[in-house]
Amino acid sequence: MKKINESCLFCSIVSEEIPSQKIYSDDSIYAFYDINPVAKTHILVIPKEHLIKLSDLKNYEILGQMINTASQLAKKLKISSSGYRLVINQGNDAGQEIEHLHCHLIGGNKLSSLK
Ligand code: 5GP
Ligand code: ZN
């Protein structure tokens, strides 16, 4: 049984108490469309377990699974060759709003430069 936090929005999305536009699920990963997309394609790939942020990870196995899922979804959605961006916001300065680890898969159109 995965550890969940009852007051966490993303845990409620994983348990499907709160609806989302799911695109992928397996034993450890859940992926769904962002409610407020910043590009034509904007998906959130999250661990089913309630892990808060990158710096809390004891190993990086789940991170590999998240990135692999994002990469596979990009292929499925045919944005892999045109390109996409993966983003993990960690903490206040990065503007992390939801305290449940998540990777943004953003693409489907030309993205603004980070520079
Ligand atoms: P953060 O800023 O924490 O990296 O990203 C959180 C993301 O979660 C934001 O892009 C925001 O639009 C998305 N989000 C917040 N609440 C919901 C929700 O209820 N459903 C979905 N699908 N996305 C949400
Ligand atoms: Zn959670």
Side-chain angles (χ1 to χ4, degrees):
M1 190 64 178
K2 298 284 175 193
K3 278 174 265 169
I4 64 153
N5 178 323
E6 282 170 10
S7 61
C8 170
L9 175 66
F10 283 0
C11 283
S12 301
I13 285 178
V14 168
S15 65
E16 300 186 352
E17 285 160 50
I18 291 180
S20 72
Q21 232 187 310
K22 176 169 74 171
I23 182 165
Y24 179 80
S25 176
D26 64 24
D27 284 350
S28 46
I29 300 287
Y30 199 88
F32 55 103
Y33 283 90
D34 196 291
I35 205 167
N36 188 18
V38 299
K40 202 168 165 192
T41 300
H42 188 169
I43 288 166
L44 298 170
V45 180
I46 73 174
K48 286 188 168 174
E49 184 176 354
H50 181 74
L51 299 163
I52 297 177
K53 53 189 195 290
L54 209 49
S55 55
D56 294 331
L57 295 181
K58 293 188 174 66
N59 67 67
Y60 294 93
E61 192 183 333
I62 193 69
L63 207 56
Q65 291 176 287
M66 290 164 68
I67 290 173
N68 181 43
T69 301
S71 167
Q72 297 308 320
L73 286 174
K75 285 180 188 154
K76 183 178 170 185
L77 296 169
K78 303 199 185 319
I79 61 167
S80 199
S81 57
S82 53
Y84 57 88
R85 184 173 289 157
L86 301 183
V87 175
I88 294 177
N89 289 322
Q90 150 94 18
N92 274 343
D93 279 0
Q96 182 179 4
E97 286 172 14
I98 308 288
E99 293 205 320
H100 180 130
L101 182 65
H102 51 281
C103 175
H104 298 255
L105 165 59
I106 302 166
N109 54 260
K110 186 84 178 162
L111 304 173
S112 58
S113 167
L114 291 176
K115 289 175 265 171

